Amino acid sequence: MAEAPAAPHRTTGSTLLHPLSALLGIPLDQINFVACQLFALLAAFWFRIYLGPSHASSAVRHAFATLFGIYFAVFCFGWYSIHLFVLVLMNYGIMNMASIPNIHRYSFVVAMGYLTLCHISRIYIFHYGILTTDFSGPLMIITQKITTLACQLHDGIGRQAEELTAEQNRLAVKTRPSLLEYLSYLLNFMSIIAGPCSNYKDYIAFIEGRHVHMKLLEVNWKQKGYDRLPDPSPTGAVMYKLCITLISLVLFLTLTKNFPMAYIIDNEFLEKTPFLTRLGYLYVVTQSAKPKYYFAWTLADAVNNAAGYGFSGVDERGAFRWDLLSNLNIWNIEIRNNCRHYFLSSAPLKMAYDVATWVVTQLAVCYTVAPFVMLAVEPTIKFYKSMYFHMHILSILVLLLLPIRPQTHSVRKPQNQANQNSVKSKDK
């Protein structure tokens, strides 16, 4: 097997940890990423214990979260981090100057347009290469947050309550955020590097100390034998996620070097290896790359929980849940239910369907995520040509041939009409 080209030991950010990068044989940008997230984890514990709502004002908590987030961005991405700050400030101007009926449209166009230009520049101008992290990752997270907040602000100010669903009403933002609140929401150290995206009202409730209390009030604790509200600790959830993170890191360090993604576009491999063998190797190499993303995203979840953010209430067994915000659910990441009900008439038929759709799902995921791992246009096109664009073709055929599952939509009556119907029913 031909050796894949080594990943370059370079970064757009700090070179302070270059000796460690050289010692471990891991690209410096990835070392910087891990160092920032581990430091963020420690800072999150400190933030919850010493800068909790009972010890510090909301303004202090906002300022600390923002300044540390900015520092992490600069440490990881150097002057390229200016793209994050430019996008944030541009959209803050839009949020304050745009009319409410159009605020979500303008915010989306500017945020997505700037993100697209940055993607084009990194692909066609800078050529970062394979297996690197860069500023476009945090930029995508910020884009999600900007558009999320803009839509929720539009719901809160520009629409009537009866026009919204229950979830939209809960998340609707009634007033424009201050500059400090806006910067803290978008640039806080807990999520600036690897997310996850969260709702603005949930984040503000967390900063102001209302986050956990609001969820606890949804439960009748007297019936459970409590004379006061409990004080749920995120330590268990953090330790569980850190265990997943550690396992993912070990798998990444052991598997990725043995099954390099670059090998799927090696000329000798493409010329001498049959298609089905290449398809099998694609599955193996993609599975080997997954732990890298599981590591990064699960660690980011742990950072938020360590800061006390992410409490979602109590499950049916009475256990505290810390999954209000999450980058992923590893166990539920593949869902196959569009045609499943046709194959439940017998156990053998169900088993055959489950096996077949599992294989197809895995191969489809591998085929789809390969460009996100390679992070370059030329290798991606070369890879898809070697695969004969088969999944693109199959996807089009599926859209054309498979039945569309019917969806139920609840029709919301205007409030005055609902009141009239209520009065009529009483008259009867």
Side-chain angles (χ1 to χ4, degrees):
M1 182 181 292
E3 290 189 6
H9 289 250
R10 59 176 178 170
T11 182
T12 57
S14 171
T15 58
L16 178 66
L17 300 178
H18 185 271
L20 181 61
S21 170
L23 178 65
L24 299 178
I26 299 176
L28 181 55
D29 58 341
Q30 295 181 14
I31 292 290
N32 285 350
F33 172 88
V34 174
C36 277
Q37 286 298 80
L38 292 178
F39 190 76
L41 181 65
L42 297 177
F45 279 114
W46 189 88
F47 186 75
R48 178 170 61 89
I49 296 171
Y50 297 103
L51 280 185
S54 60
H55 297 89
S57 66
S58 298
V60 171
R61 284 166 59 82
H62 278 305
F64 180 91
T66 304
L67 292 175
F68 262 60
I70 291 173
Y71 174 77
F72 288 159
V74 174
F75 185 88
C76 280
F77 312 114
W79 73 267
Y80 285 97
S81 59
I82 197 172
H83 289 292
L84 310 180
F85 312 140
V86 167
L87 180 58
V88 167
L89 293 177
M90 282 196 306
N91 276 273
Y92 183 72
I94 291 174
M95 188 188 67
N96 281 281
M97 294 186 292
S99 62
I100 289 298
N102 294 309
I103 191 171
H104 56 309
R105 298 187 180 95
Y106 294 155
S107 296
F108 174 82
V109 169
V110 171
M112 189 59 70
Y114 194 86
L115 175 64
T116 302
L117 290 176
C118 288
H119 273 310
I120 292 173
S121 68
R122 74 163 299 282
I123 291 172
Y124 291 104
I125 299 175
F126 297 107
H127 298 287
Y128 287 119
I130 294 178
L131 293 176
T132 58
T133 57
D134 70 356
F135 71 93
S136 64
L139 199 65
M140 288 188 281
I141 297 166
I142 288 176
T143 298
Q144 292 179 57
K145 289 186 175 183
I146 286 173
T147 52
T148 297
L149 174 56
C151 289
Q152 292 170 350
L153 193 61
H154 174 257
D155 288 343
I157 302 178
R159 301 176 67 186
Q160 298 297 320
E162 57 268 19
E163 299 175 343
L164 307 176
T165 65
E167 184 70 2
Q168 286 175 324
N169 263 314
R170 185 184 76 82
L171 298 174
V173 179
K174 304 294 185 181
T175 58
R176 287 182 169 93
S178 68
L179 178 60
L180 181 59
E181 291 171 333
Y182 191 77
L183 294 178
S184 177
Y185 171 62
L186 296 178
L187 301 175
N188 69 81
F189 75 92
M190 298 168 290
S191 62
I192 188 171
I193 301 296
C197 178
S198 63
N199 294 301
Y200 176 77
K201 285 186 71 172
D202 289 333
Y203 179 75
I204 295 299
F206 155 69
I207 290 292
E208 295 177 353
R210 298 179 286 106
H211 163 59
V212 174
H213 188 76
M214 289 165 51
K215 298 296 181 181
L216 290 176
L217 289 178
E218 297 174 1
V219 179
N220 189 335
W221 292 101
K222 288 187 177 180
Q223 289 183 351
K224 296 180 178 292
Y226 288 81
D227 57 357
R228 60 176 179 170
L229 292 179
D231 184 19
S233 170
T235 304
V238 172
M239 297 306 296
Y240 171 75
K241 292 177 181 179
L242 288 181
C243 288
I244 296 177
T245 297
L246 181 60
I247 294 172
S248 300
L249 178 61
V250 172
L251 291 175
F252 169 68
L253 293 176
T254 54
L255 293 178
T256 304
K257 290 185 177 180
N258 293 324
F259 301 99
M261 177 63 75
Y263 193 65
I264 65 174
I265 56 171
D266 179 77
N267 289 328
E268 183 179 356
F269 175 77
L270 294 177
E271 292 170 1
K272 296 183 179 180
T273 310
F275 173 75
L276 291 179
T277 304
R278 281 185 273 130
L279 202 60
Y281 183 78
L282 171 65
Y283 173 77
V284 173
V285 76
T286 307
Q287 301 308 309
S288 302
K290 279 183 179 180
K292 169 186 174 181
Y293 301 97
Y294 293 165
F295 166 81
W297 291 334
T298 306
L299 180 57
D301 290 354
V303 169
N304 281 271
N305 290 165
Y309 188 26
F311 182 70
S312 57
V314 182
D315 63 18
E316 60 277 0
R317 297 173 300 172
F320 297 126
R321 295 171 51 196
W322 288 87
D323 56 358
L324 178 67
L325 62 162
S326 181
N327 274 310
L328 81 164
N329 186 321
I330 296 176
W331 313 118
N332 297 332
I333 205 165
E334 291 97 13
I335 301 167
R336 309 177 309 274
N337 59 4
N338 194 50
C339 300
R340 184 181 178 84
H341 54 284
Y342 293 115
F343 297 87
L344 300 179
S345 56
S346 67
L349 187 62
K350 174 181 176 296
M351 177 63 71
Y353 175 81
D354 287 344
V355 172
T357 52
W358 181 85
V359 171
V360 172
T361 299
Q362 294 299 317
L363 292 178
V365 170
C366 296
Y367 182 93
T368 305
V369 304
F372 294 94
V373 179
M374 292 187 286
L375 293 176
V377 173
E378 292 82 2
T380 297
I381 299 300
K382 186 176 182 180
F383 161 71
Y384 279 143
K385 283 183 178 179
S386 73
M387 292 285 115
Y388 310 114
F389 295 94
H390 70 276
M391 199 58 69
H392 288 83
I393 297 171
L394 287 175
S395 298
I396 294 174
L397 292 177
V398 165
L399 290 175
L400 294 176
L401 299 179
L402 280 187
I404 300 176
R405 186 172 57 176
Q407 298 183 0
T408 58
H409 298 278
S410 60
V411 179
R412 181 182 296 274
K413 294 181 180 180
Q415 189 67 33
N416 58 353
Q417 182 180 343
N419 292 336
Q420 290 174 5
N421 292 342
S422 176
V423 171
K424 288 180 181 179
S425 61
K426 290 180 180 178
D427 291 342
K428 291 180 181 179

